[in-house]
């Protein structure tokens, strides 16, 4: 599943080409400078037309506990995703990944959804956009439901802009509550090709 690669061989052009054929990079830990390519046999996808919000989460959203913003603190979201947390003692986001995705953000191919309390960033997620596909990378939450509410706003944004594929890389029990499914590689490749061969959409 993993193919090792030298960090000095990587740049944003190679990274985007990798996404276009179903690969994405990870590190074994935040302190490990090496990256490896991942190509899951089963790919996590959230179908945008069947995205599900539970009644309890819908009730929480209606209370508007956070100010939701887009692309105002991409590096802050990456830092939040890379930070250790009680439920996440280690992370795969090393400095090389942070540098690469910040550069992707600067050229318009990586985006963040952010939950704010006043001037404090309390949750968020980030990912990569290419064609009509959005590849979710990571999320973090320092308040109850912060990352979940960001995901709901992400899906609303993707639907409004005409995106056709929301890739979550893997499925988790958490993502399955929103309707995430496992897609076999051969089927995923067809979905991916249809999405990335379209002109890139504004986020």
């Amino acid at each position: 599943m993993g193919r090792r690669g030298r960090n000095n061989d990587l740049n944003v052009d190679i990274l985007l080409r990798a996404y276009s054929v179903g690969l994405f990079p990870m590190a074994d830990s935040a302190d490990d400078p090496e990256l490896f390519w991942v190509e899951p046999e089963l790919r996590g996808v959230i179908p945008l037309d069947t995205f599900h919000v539970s009644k309890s989460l819908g009730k929480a959203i209606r209370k508007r506990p956070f100010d939701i913003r887009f692309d105002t603190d991409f590096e802050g979201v990456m830092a939040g995703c890379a930070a250790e947390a009680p439920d996440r003692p280690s992370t795969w986001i090393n400095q090389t990944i942070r540098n690469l995705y910040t550069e992707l953000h600067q050229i318009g191919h990586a985006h963040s959804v952010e939950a704010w309390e006043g001037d404090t960033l309390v949750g968020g997620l980030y990912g990569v956009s290419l064609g009509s596909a959005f590849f979710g990378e990571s999320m973090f939450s320092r308040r109850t439901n912060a990352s979940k509410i960001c995901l709901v706003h992400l899906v609303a944004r993707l639907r409004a802009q005409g995106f056709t594929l929301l890739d979550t890389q893997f499925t988790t029990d958490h993502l399955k509550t929103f309707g995430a499914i496992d897609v076999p590689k051969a089927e995923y490749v067809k979905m991916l090709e249809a999405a990335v061969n379209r002109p890139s959409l504004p986020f």
Side-chain angles (χ1 to χ4, degrees):
M1 186 174 74
R3 286 179 266 177
R4 298 276 165 178
R6 293 182 180 273
N7 294 345
N8 56 11
D9 292 338
L10 269 178
N11 57 48
V12 291
D13 292 329
I14 291 173
L15 192 53
L16 288 174
R17 286 202 297 271
Y19 273 95
S20 74
V21 296
L23 298 170
F24 58 88
M26 294 184 74
D28 282 328
S29 71
D31 297 326
D32 187 342
E34 292 296 315
L35 301 180
F36 59 93
W37 293 111
V38 182
E39 187 179 20
E41 290 298 321
L42 289 175
R43 194 71 167 230
V45 169
I46 296 180
L48 292 170
D49 57 350
T50 57
F51 181 71
H52 173 71
V53 177
S54 69
K55 290 182 179 179
S56 59
L57 182 59
K59 184 177 180 180
I61 291 171
R62 287 191 290 275
K63 293 180 180 178
R64 298 188 178 184
F66 311 113
D67 178 17
I68 302 298
R69 306 175 193 170
F70 298 88
D71 286 342
T72 68
D73 191 3
F74 183 85
E75 292 182 57
V77 170
M78 283 209 76
C81 292
E84 295 182 0
D87 61 340
R88 184 173 56 193
S90 63
T91 176
W92 52 269
I93 302 173
N94 64 10
Q95 191 59 50
T96 303
I97 286 176
R98 290 173 71 167
N99 293 342
L100 280 168
Y101 286 78
T102 297
E103 189 174 349
L104 275 184
H105 172 66
Q106 291 167 350
I107 65 172
H109 280 288
H111 302 281
S112 59
V113 185
E114 308 146 11
W116 292 82
E117 281 186 346
D119 295 328
T120 303
L121 180 65
V122 296
L125 60 84
Y126 76 95
V128 174
S129 63
L130 185 62
S132 64
F134 189 90
F135 307 87
E137 285 295 317
S138 188
M139 59 177 60
F140 80 101
S141 188
R142 297 190 181 123
R143 299 287 188 276
T144 301
N145 291 327
S147 62
K148 293 179 181 179
I149 291 174
C150 285
L151 178 58
V152 173
H153 282 268
L154 170 67
V155 169
R157 184 80 161 228
L158 297 180
R159 284 172 167 172
Q161 297 296 82
F163 280 75
T164 60
L165 175 62
L166 174 52
D167 178 325
T168 66
Q169 299 178 346
F170 305 102
T171 58
T172 62
D173 290 340
H174 165 64
L175 291 175
K176 285 178 180 177
T177 64
F178 292 97
I181 59 173
D182 287 314
V183 177
K185 185 193 295 186
E187 182 181 345
Y188 172 78
V189 167
K190 294 177 182 178
M191 297 168 65
L192 178 65
E193 287 178 349
V196 300
N197 287 329
R198 296 181 59 179
S200 287
L201 295 171
F203 180 72

